[in-house]
């Protein structure tokens, strides 16, 4: 039987492809975004304890209450507002599930969803599976700023959702308070919800502060805000994230969540809750930690031909290779993994219609030795070409 794909143009993601190529080539992998250093010993210990205590059966659909209470406390510390763990906070399988559930809860057949290119790859397939269509608005290098006039012109009767991601993967740019005000003014009188992907909420550099939709009274009343302990606790494989939204929106999100994953791994939720109870503000050093890594790699690469682009946040760094080669980024990444033995991610797959640019994304959530080894290989390659 011929199987008619619902997503015929969706292939294996560039992250999986480059991680596979890194293994094949014995390359240093700065491609996919995950740490190569251990998690906090106290977090591992908490998991061992809760398993031994027997926290091994189904968790409640909305998340274990101990964790939702810790999340409410964390949100209060970060955004000076109390959210109700019973009606406004849902634990999900990473940020990814929260994104998917929010989109399914809002988007109907024929609806339009505004996203910004370069866009994280999970948004568009979820919109299409819901029967909607993405309207993609480019953020143009080198500054990757929002063009709110362009957004206004892109809105239609069918626009149902806008997805913003700040700090933004892969551009490493941020939406500031002025951007959120501009966005609020645009959607004030329209039936448009907002999906705010804030998984890098704690990774902003050079003293910048995160402008969360949760701290914006007008926006939070119509937003799903998505977060990830994978990013915040350096544990991407745990797949524990959460979504914060007003009660009516949370109720709709949970309708999707309960028939999607139903509930998230019970001992992992208990372990994160226990860890946060013992290490309050575990995330407070994240910006300093990653800024040191950003500066270390940038210092090693500057002047080599791989020019670091100023990064405001996320645990990524863009690198401009225009001085070395004029070719396409996907081909150049393949050449780098083969010849320099360093895996990186090209930027063009994040665009529907890529502008002229010669940029690669590297992940800096790596041990210093890994960053040093990658930089040495890149510099050596640059000398050769
Ligand atoms: C912008 C962005 N949103 C969401 C996610 C997904 O988060 P999680 O790993 O918790 O599912 C990622 C992961 O890389 C991301 O970069």
């Amino acid at each position: 039987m011929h199987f008619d794909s619902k997503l015929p143009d969706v292939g294996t993601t560039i992250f999986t492809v480059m991680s596979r190529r890194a293994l094949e080539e014995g390359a240093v992998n700065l491609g996919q975004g995950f740490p190569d250093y251990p998690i906090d010993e106290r977090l591992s210990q908490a998991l061992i304890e809760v398993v031994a205590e027997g926290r091994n059966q189904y968790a409640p659909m909305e998340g274990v209450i101990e964790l939702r209470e810790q999340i409410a406390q964390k949100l209060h510390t970060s955004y000076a507002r109390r959210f109700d763990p019973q009606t406004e906070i849902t634990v999900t399988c990473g940020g990814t599930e929260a994104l998917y559930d929010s989109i399914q809860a809002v988007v109907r057949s024929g609806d339009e969803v505004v996203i910004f290119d370069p866009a994280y790859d999970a948004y568009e397939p979820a919109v299409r599976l819901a029967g909607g269509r993405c309207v993609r608005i480019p953020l143009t290098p080198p500054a990757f700023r929002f063009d709110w006039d362009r957004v206004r012109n892109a809105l239609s009767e069918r626009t149902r959702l806008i997805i913003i991601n700040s700090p933004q993967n892969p551009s490493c740019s941020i939406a500031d308070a002025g951007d959120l005000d501009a966005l609020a003014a645009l959607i004030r009188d329209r039936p448009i919800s907002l999906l705010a992907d804030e998984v890098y909420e704690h990774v902003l550099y050079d003293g910048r502060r995160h402008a969360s939709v949760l701290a914006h009274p007008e926006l939070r009343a119509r937003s799903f805000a998505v977060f990830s302990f994978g990013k915040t606790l350096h544990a991407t494989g745990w797949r524990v994230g959460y979504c914060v939204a007003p009660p009516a929106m949370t109720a709709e999100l949970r309708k999707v969540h309960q028939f999607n994953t139903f509930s998230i791994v019970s001992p992992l939720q208990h372990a994160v809750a226990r860890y946060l109870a013992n290490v309050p503000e575990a995330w407070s050093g994240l910006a300093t930690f990653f800024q040191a890594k950003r500066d270390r790699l940038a210092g090693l690469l500057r002047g080599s031909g791989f020019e670091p682009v100023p990064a405001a946040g996320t645990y990524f760094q863009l690198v401009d290779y225009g001085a070395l080669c004029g070719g396409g980024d996907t081909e150049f990444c393949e050449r780098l993994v083969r010849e320099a033995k360093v895996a990186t991610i090209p930027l063009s797959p994040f665009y529907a219609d890529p502008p002229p640019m010669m940029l690669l994304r590297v992940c800096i959530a790596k041990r210093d030795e890994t960053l040093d080894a990658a930089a040495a290989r890149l510099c050596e390659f640059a000398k050769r070409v």
Side-chain angles (χ1 to χ4, degrees):
M1 184 192 96
H2 168 72
F3 187 82
D4 193 13
S5 172
K6 289 177 74 179
L7 298 170
D9 53 330
V10 173
T12 310
T13 71
I14 188 70
F15 313 111
T16 305
V17 170
M18 288 315 294
S19 284
R20 191 187 305 142
R21 290 291 294 127
L23 274 178
E24 286 166 4
E25 295 288 341
V28 180
N29 190 358
L30 298 190
Q32 204 171 3
F34 60 87
D36 71 345
Y37 44 81
I39 59 173
D40 188 334
E41 175 63 26
R42 292 167 294 183
L43 182 56
S44 322
Q45 199 51 44
L47 181 58
I48 292 165
E49 284 168 19
V50 298
V51 169
E53 286 166 18
R55 310 271 194 179
N56 300 309
Q57 306 308 327
Y58 289 130
M61 176 273 280
E62 57 274 52
V64 304
I65 188 62
E66 292 89 337
L67 179 56
R68 283 181 291 134
E69 279 169 355
Q70 287 297 330
I71 293 169
Q73 184 54 46
K74 176 177 183 301
L75 292 167
H76 184 248
T77 308
S78 300
Y79 305 120
R81 170 150 180 109
R82 298 229 168 261
F83 292 89
D84 183 349
Q86 299 294 359
T87 60
E88 296 182 296
I89 298 170
T90 309
V91 181
T92 57
C93 182
T96 305
E97 196 220 346
L99 293 170
Y100 186 84
D101 293 352
S102 308
I103 290 167
Q104 301 308 315
V106 173
V107 178
R108 293 178 164 84
S109 176
D111 284 350
E112 290 177 357
V113 177
V114 172
I115 66 174
F116 297 91
D117 280 356
Y120 183 61
D121 64 347
Y123 310 142
E124 177 146 20
V127 169
R128 287 169 53 194
L129 287 172
R133 182 177 86 82
C134 280
V135 175
R136 303 180 70 134
I137 300 184
L139 308 174
T140 315
F144 297 100
R145 299 300 309 157
F146 292 95
D147 180 343
W148 293 113
D149 288 334
R150 198 161 173 175
V151 178
R152 180 182 301 104
N153 292 335
L155 299 183
S156 80
E157 291 295 303
R158 295 186 162 185
T159 312
R160 204 57 59 226
L161 184 69
I162 297 179
I163 305 179
I164 56 164
N165 169 213
S166 176
Q168 215 251 10
N169 172 18
S171 73
C172 309
S173 62
I174 56 163
D176 60 22
D179 287 313
L180 296 193
D181 287 342
L183 175 56
L186 271 190
I187 60 179
R188 190 161 291 143
D189 301 315
R190 297 172 186 262
I192 298 176
S193 301
L194 189 61
L195 173 52
D197 179 346
E198 302 190 8
V199 300
Y200 300 104
E201 63 178 324
H202 299 302
V203 192
L204 278 81
Y205 300 131
D206 307 311
R208 292 179 179 86
R209 287 184 61 80
H210 176 49
S212 173
V213 296
L214 297 183
H216 194 289
E218 211 178 331
L219 289 181
R220 78 169 163 255
R222 53 168 86 203
S223 293
F224 296 98
V226 170
F227 302 92
S228 169
F229 285 116
K231 311 295 176 189
T232 299
L233 302 181
H234 309 286
T236 59
W238 281 35
R239 316 296 303 122
V240 182
Y242 54 100
C243 185
V244 185
M249 293 171 71
T250 292
E252 292 307 306
L253 173 108
R254 288 179 182 174
K255 289 180 190 174
V256 181
H257 166 72
Q258 77 176 341
F259 295 115
N260 183 3
T261 52
F262 176 61
S263 71
I264 307 312
V265 185
S266 175
L268 295 180
Q269 293 193 63
H270 282 288
V272 173
R274 184 164 301 184
Y275 177 71
L276 291 180
N278 293 332
V279 191
E281 301 192 34
W283 63 90
S284 62
L286 277 185
T288 314
F289 176 80
F290 285 122
Q291 186 166 321
K293 294 199 177 288
R294 176 198 68 166
D295 293 346
R296 184 182 190 99
L297 184 69
L300 293 168
L301 291 182
R302 210 164 278 128
S304 69
F306 288 102
E307 208 44 41
V309 175
T314 76
Y315 60 33
F316 301 106
Q317 168 72 62
L318 293 180
V319 176
D320 187 333
Y321 64 89
L324 295 175
C325 162
D329 57 1
T330 304
E331 297 72 31
F332 190 65
C333 279
E334 171 52 29
R335 189 172 163 201
L336 274 188
V337 75
R338 223 178 33 240
E339 295 180 24
K341 305 291 181 204
V342 178
T344 58
I345 299 287
L347 213 63
S348 60
F350 295 85
Y351 280 89
D353 190 9
M357 61 185 170
M358 276 160 262
L359 297 174
L360 308 175
R361 191 200 77 176
V362 296
C363 175
I364 58 168
K366 305 291 174 190
R367 283 182 287 223
D368 288 348
E369 306 88 89
T370 309
L371 296 176
D372 294 352
R377 291 178 184 200
L378 290 173
C379 291
E380 204 181 290
F381 171 88
K383 274 192 209 133
R384 283 205 306 272
V385 297

